[in-house]
C-alpha cells in the first residue's frame, strides 16, 4: 500500500497489527471442518439417509463449532485494539501524529469487523450450504429453536468478549491481560446467574439463556461505551 | 484558543506545572520562544525537559498552566498543534513492521495538504534511505534520520527535537545535524531542541534555557550568557572563606587557599568587590564556555539543595 486516504491507512495498519489473530482465527475455523472431512472420509457417523451425505451433517455441526471456537478471536481483537500499540510503544509514534482519537478508534472497529467477516464469512457460507443440504432430513421446531439460541449465545458471548476486552485495552498496557479479562467474563456471568438462581430458589426449569444474552448485551454496551469514553478523554497515547 | 498572529511567540509556556504523584517534574515553567529562533533546552537527567516537550506535543496533560504553539493551546487542541509541529523524539517508536515507504505514505495521509513531497524526496535522497527497507532493519542512525524526514516533510512551523542524537555515532550525528541545519537555513523555522551535548547548542541555538528539577534557572541569549558569566579565581591569604560572596554568584568552591566563584551578570566591579574582601592575595577573572557555565549553574543549585 502506497497511496490512500488516512482512514484506509489506519485500517490497513490495524489489520496488519492483528495479522496473527487473523491467522489463529482461520485455523480455529478450519480445525472443526478438517475433523468433519476426516470423519466423512473414514465413513464415521450415520449412513446417508434421504439422499443427504453424512459430510453435510458433519459440516453443519463443524460450522457451529468453528463459530464458537473462533469467537475467542474477538477477545484478542478487543484486547489488542489499543493496548497492543501501547505494548510495543508504537502508540507513542501515533500519538505525535495529527490524527483525532475518534478516527483512531473508528479504524480499530472497522478493522476488527473486517477481520471477523474474513474469518466467519467462509464458515457461514459452509453453514448455510450444509444446512440447505440437510434440509430433506426434516428440521423440527425444537431444532430451529436450539440453533437460534446457540447462535444468539455465540453472538452475544463474542460481543461481550470484544467489548470487555476493549474496555481493559483502553486502560491497560497489556493486550494479553485485556483479552483474558474478556475471556473470563462469560464464566463470571454464568456463575453469577446460577448463584442468583440458587439463592432465589428459581424453579428447576429456569432457562438462563435469555438472561445470559440480555446481560451480555448490557455488559458489552457499558464496557464499550466506558472504554471508548476513557480513550477519548485520555491525553496520553 | 487558536488566534494566531505574526507577533505572538512560536512557543509559549505559561506557568506550566506537571506532577507525577509526589514528584514535581515541571514547576511553574514560563518561557517564550520567538518565531524563527532556535532554543536549546538543557538540563541534567530528570530536569523536566522531556516532560515539558511531551506536554507541548499534546501527549501529556499538565497539572497546571498551558503550552501554546503559534497561539494554539496544546492542551485544548493537540491535533492542530501536531499539524504544525515536527517532532523527533529521543527513542523512535515507528511501526517496526512497516517499510520506510509505507511509513512515509502513512504520515503523508495524516498530514494531507501540508505534506511536501519535494522536501520528502530530497531528504530521502540526502539521507540515502531505502523506501523498501523495513523499519526494524534500520540502524539507529537511519531511524533517527527517518524520524527527521517525517518531522520536516510536512513543512512544520515549529520543529521540536528531544535529544534525538543520543547514542548516535559521530558521523550519523553530523549527518543528522546537517539535515537539521539545512532545514533551518532554508525555511527559518522555529526550533526547540533538548540535548546533553552543549556543542550542539552552541552550534545551532540562539538562546538557551537551563532546567533543573523542573524549574527554569536561566533563559537567554547564548553569547550574552557566556559573555556575562565569568569564573573568578581568588587566592586567599589564609584559606578561610570570606563571609560575603558577590551578588550573582551561582557556584563557589574552596580548595585550600584557592577559592573559585562563578558569577552571572559579571561586571569588573564584582572583581573589585572580591579584591576588597579581607584576606585576598590574588584575583583572576577567567572566561568560561557554555558547558562550564551550565555545569556551574547546575552544581550551584545542587549545593543549594544539599544545604537546604
Amino acid at each position: 500500500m502506497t497511496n490512500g486516504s488516512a482512514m484506509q491507512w489506519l485500517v490497513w495498519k490495524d489489520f496488519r497489527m492483528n495479522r496473527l489473530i487473523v491467522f489463529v482465527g482461520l485455523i480455529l475455523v478450519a480445525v472443526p471442518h478438517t475433523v468433519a472431512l476426516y470423519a466423512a472420509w473414514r465413513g464415521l457417523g450415520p449412513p446417508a439417509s434421504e439422499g443427504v451425505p453424512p459430510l453435510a451433517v458433519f459440516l453443519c455441526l463443524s460450522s457451529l463449532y468453528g463459530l464458537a471456537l473462533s469467537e475467542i478471536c474477538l477477545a484478542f481483537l478487543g484486547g489488542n485494539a489499543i493496548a497492543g500499540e501501547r505494548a510495543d510503544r508504537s502508540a507513542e509514534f501515533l500519538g505525535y501524529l495529527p490524527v483525532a482519537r475518534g478516527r483512531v478508534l473508528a479504524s480499530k472497529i472497522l478493522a476488527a469487523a473486517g477481520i471477523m467477516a474474513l474469518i466467519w464469512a467462509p464458515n457461514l457460507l459452509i453453514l448455510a450450504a450444509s444446512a440447505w443440504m440437510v434440509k430433506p432430513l426434516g428440521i423440527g421446531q425444537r431444532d430451529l429453536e436450539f440453533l437460534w439460541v446457540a447462535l444468539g449465545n455465540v453472538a452475544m458471548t463474542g460481543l461481550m468478549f470484544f467489548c470487555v476486552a476493549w474496555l481493559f485495552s483502553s486502560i491497560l498496557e497489556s493486550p494479553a491481560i485485556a483479552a483474558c479479562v474478556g475471556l473470563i467474563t462469560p464464566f463470571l456471568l454464568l456463575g453469577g446467574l446460577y448463584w442468583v438462581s440458587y439463592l432465589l430458589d428459581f424453579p428447576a426449569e429456569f432457562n438462563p439463556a435469555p438472561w445470559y444474552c440480555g446481560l451480555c448485551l448490557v455488559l458489552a454496551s457499558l464496557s464499550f461505551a466506558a472504554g471508548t469514553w476513557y480513550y477519548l478523554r485520555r491525553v496520553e497515547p | 484558543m487558536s488566534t494566531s498572529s505574526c507577533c505572538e511567540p512560536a512557543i509559549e509556556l505559561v506557568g506550566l506545572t506537571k506532577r507525577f504523584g509526589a514528584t514535581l517534574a515541571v514547576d511553574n515553567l514560563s518561557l517564550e520562544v520567538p518565531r524563527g529562533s532556535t532554543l536549546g533546552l538543557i538540563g541534567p537527567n530528570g530536569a523536566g525537559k522531556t516532560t515539558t516537550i511531551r506536554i507541548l506535543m499534546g501527549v501529556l496533560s499538565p497539572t497546571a498552566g498551558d503550552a501554546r504553539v503559534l497561539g494554539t493551546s496544546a492542551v485544548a487542541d493537540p491535533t492542530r498543534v501536531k499539524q504544525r509541529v515536527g517532532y523527533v523524539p529521543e527513542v523512535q517508536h515507528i511501526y517496526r513492521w512497516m517499510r520506510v515507504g509505507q511509513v512515509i505514505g502513512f504520515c503523508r495521509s495524516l498530514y494531507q495538504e501540508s505534506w511536501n513531497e519535494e522536501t520528502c524526496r530530497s531528504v530521502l535522497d540526502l539521507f540515502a534511505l531505502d523506501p523498501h527497507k523495513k523499519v526494524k532493519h534500520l540502524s539507529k542512525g537511519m531511524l533517527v534520520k527517518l524520524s527527521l524526514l517525517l518531522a520536516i516533510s510536512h513543512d512544520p512551523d515549529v520543529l521540536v527535537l528531544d535529544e534525538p542524537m543520543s547514542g548516535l555515532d559521530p558521523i550519523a550525528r553530523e549527518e543528522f545535524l546537517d539535515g537539521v541545519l539545512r532545514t533551518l537555513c532554508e525555511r527559518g523555522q522555529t526550533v526547540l531542541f533538548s540535548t546533553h551535548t552543549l556543542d550542539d547548542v552552541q552550534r545551532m541555538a540562539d538562546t538557551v534555557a537551563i532546567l533543573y528539577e523542573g524549574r527554569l534557572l536561566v533563559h537567554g541569549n547564548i553569547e550574552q550568557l557566556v559573555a556575562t558569566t565569568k569564573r573568578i579565581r581568588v587566592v586567599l591569604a589564609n584559606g578561610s572563606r570570606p563571609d560575603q560572596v558577590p551578588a550573582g554568584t551561582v557556584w563557589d568552591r574552596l580548595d585550600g587557599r584557592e577559592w573559585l566563584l562563578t558569577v552571572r551578570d559579571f561586571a569588573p566591579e564584582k572583581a573589585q568587590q572580591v579584591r576588597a574582601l579581607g584576606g585576598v592575595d590574588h584575583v583572576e577573572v577567567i572566561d568560561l564556555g557554555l558547558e562550564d557555565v551550565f555545569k556551574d549553574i547546575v552544581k550551584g543549585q545542587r549545593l543549594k539543595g544539599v544545604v537546604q
Side-chain angles (χ1 to χ4, degrees):
Chain A
M1 187 166 174
T2 51
N3 286 308
S5 69
M7 190 48 100
Q8 281 174 315
W9 273 99
L10 286 167
V11 172
W12 170 77
K13 180 263 296 172
D14 285 317
F15 195 90
R16 176 59 180 72
M17 290 200 74
N18 290 306
R19 201 167 61 162
L20 184 64
I21 299 172
V22 177
F23 182 67
V24 171
L26 290 172
I27 288 178
L28 289 174
V29 165
V31 164
H33 292 307
T34 311
V35 173
L37 287 172
Y38 177 76
W41 175 63
R42 292 296 304 266
L44 302 173
S49 60
E50 304 282 341
V52 176
L55 179 63
V57 180
F58 284 137
L59 285 179
C60 195
L61 289 170
S62 63
S63 303
L64 283 173
Y65 277 117
L67 275 179
L69 272 179
S70 58
E71 72 178 343
I72 67 162
C73 291
L74 278 163
F76 285 97
L77 282 174
N80 199 37
I82 300 164
E85 283 181 289
R86 284 200 196 119
D88 69 5
R89 301 198 66 188
S90 54
E92 297 256 331
F93 174 64
L94 190 62
Y96 294 118
L97 294 172
V99 55
R101 288 288 173 102
R103 287 184 113 185
V104 172
L105 287 187
S107 84
K108 290 178 188 303
I109 294 165
L110 281 173
I115 288 167
M116 287 322 289
L118 181 72
I119 294 171
W120 279 350
N123 198 52
L124 288 171
L125 276 175
I126 294 170
L127 178 64
S130 56
W132 180 76
M133 285 170 76
V134 298
K135 214 175 173 185
L137 289 176
I139 298 172
Q141 189 60 33
R142 280 180 66 86
D143 295 325
L144 273 176
E145 273 177 21
F146 170 77
L147 187 68
W148 282 115
V149 168
L151 283 174
N153 283 340
V154 165
M156 287 300 129
T157 305
L159 187 68
M160 191 172 63
F161 275 160
F162 179 79
C163 293
V164 172
W166 172 272
L167 167 63
F168 283 88
S169 183
S170 76
I171 299 166
L172 303 175
E173 287 188 11
S174 164
I177 294 175
C180 287
V181 175
L183 285 173
I184 61 165
T185 313
F187 297 102
L188 297 175
L189 200 60
L190 276 173
L193 265 176
Y194 278 108
W195 185 65
V196 168
S197 68
Y198 173 76
L199 278 184
L200 299 180
D201 202 17
F202 281 15
E205 60 273 17
F206 167 68
N207 177 13
W211 284 94
Y212 173 76
C213 283
L215 284 172
C216 279
L217 190 62
V218 170
L219 200 58
S221 308
L222 290 175
S223 300
F224 184 76
T228 304
W229 177 82
Y230 180 80
Y231 184 71
L232 292 175
R233 294 267 305 173
R234 185 181 156 116
V235 176
E236 291 82 6
Chain B
M1 207 68 75
S2 56
T3 50
S4 182
S5 80
C6 66
C7 307
E8 68 196 352
I11 296 171
E12 194 180 5
L13 309 178
V14 187
L16 201 66
T17 303
K18 180 64 187 178
R19 233 172 225 294
F20 294 105
T23 309
L24 191 58
V26 180
D27 185 6
N28 196 25
L29 177 61
S30 293
L31 181 72
E32 284 187 4
V33 184
R35 286 174 187 235
S37 68
T38 301
L39 172 78
L41 193 61
I42 57 176
N45 292 329
K49 304 184 296 289
T50 298
T51 304
T52 304
I53 287 174
R54 284 173 65 84
I55 295 171
L56 188 68
M57 289 304 300
V59 293
L60 196 62
S61 56
T63 308
D66 197 7
R68 295 186 205 122
V69 177
L70 301 158
T72 304
S73 165
V75 180
D77 194 355
T79 308
R80 189 174 152 82
V81 166
K82 288 168 199 170
Q83 274 283 2
R84 306 184 74 179
V85 179
Y87 174 64
V88 182
E90 183 183 2
V91 184
Q92 321 303 323
H93 296 295
I94 301 169
Y95 298 104
R96 288 170 51 78
W97 48 268
M98 279 192 192
R99 293 180 192 282
V100 169
Q102 290 172 329
V103 178
I104 292 171
F106 181 70
C107 292
R108 184 198 295 128
S109 75
L110 298 176
Y111 286 108
Q112 296 170 338
E113 295 89 39
S114 59
W115 188 265
N116 187 330
E117 198 58 39
E118 200 182 316
T119 304
C120 177
R121 288 219 181 102
S122 71
V123 179
L124 202 64
D125 291 342
L126 177 74
F127 289 153
L129 281 162
D130 179 1
H132 304 292
K133 207 165 186 179
K134 282 201 170 179
V135 170
K136 66 181 169 191
H137 295 142
L138 295 177
S139 65
K140 184 169 168 55
M142 293 305 260
L143 203 53
V144 174
K145 287 173 189 171
L146 173 61
S147 193
L148 180 65
L149 179 147
L150 300 175
I152 61 179
S153 289
H154 61 101
D155 287 343
D157 299 306
V158 175
L159 190 59
V160 177
L161 313 170
D162 185 9
E163 296 181 39
M165 291 166 288
S166 61
L168 293 191
D169 65 68
I171 294 167
R173 283 175 70 85
E174 196 60 34
E175 287 171 350
F176 178 86
L177 273 176
D178 282 348
V180 175
L181 290 171
R182 206 173 100 141
T183 312
L184 286 176
C185 295
E186 281 174 4
R187 292 178 218 155
Q189 286 160 321
T190 307
V191 179
L192 184 152
F193 74 102
S194 83
T195 181
H196 288 297
T197 314
L198 300 180
D199 284 347
D200 297 340
V201 178
Q202 271 190 304
R203 187 171 161 188
M204 286 171 60
D206 314 313
T207 53
V208 66
I210 301 178
L211 288 186
Y212 180 75
E213 291 185 344
R215 283 174 293 120
L216 181 67
L217 300 181
V218 175
H219 178 213
N221 180 280
I222 293 175
E223 284 173 17
Q224 202 178 354
L225 176 71
V226 171
T228 59
T229 307
K230 304 280 183 193
R231 182 169 293 161
I232 305 176
R233 181 174 168 269
V234 183
V235 179
L236 300 166
N238 57 8
S240 64
R241 185 178 180 274
D243 294 333
Q244 283 185 315
V245 292
T249 301
V250 290
W251 171 80
D252 76 308
R253 189 188 71 187
L254 184 66
D255 186 10
R257 286 176 58 212
E258 187 186 57
W259 184 33
L260 296 175
L261 304 103
T262 302
V263 182
R264 278 195 68 198
D265 301 323
F266 178 83
E269 297 80 52
K270 290 196 177 175
Q272 296 291 345
Q273 279 175 20
V274 175
R275 274 192 195 99
L277 296 170
V280 172
D281 271 0
H282 173 76
V283 173
E284 184 186 354
V285 177
I286 304 166
D287 289 335
L288 294 174
L290 180 62
E291 187 158 342
D292 291 318
V293 171
F294 166 70
K295 281 181 191 167
D296 290 356
I297 289 172
V298 170
K299 280 191 290 185
Q301 284 298 313
R302 279 196 183 142
L303 283 174
K304 261 190 199 173
V306 170
V307 171
Q308 281 166 4

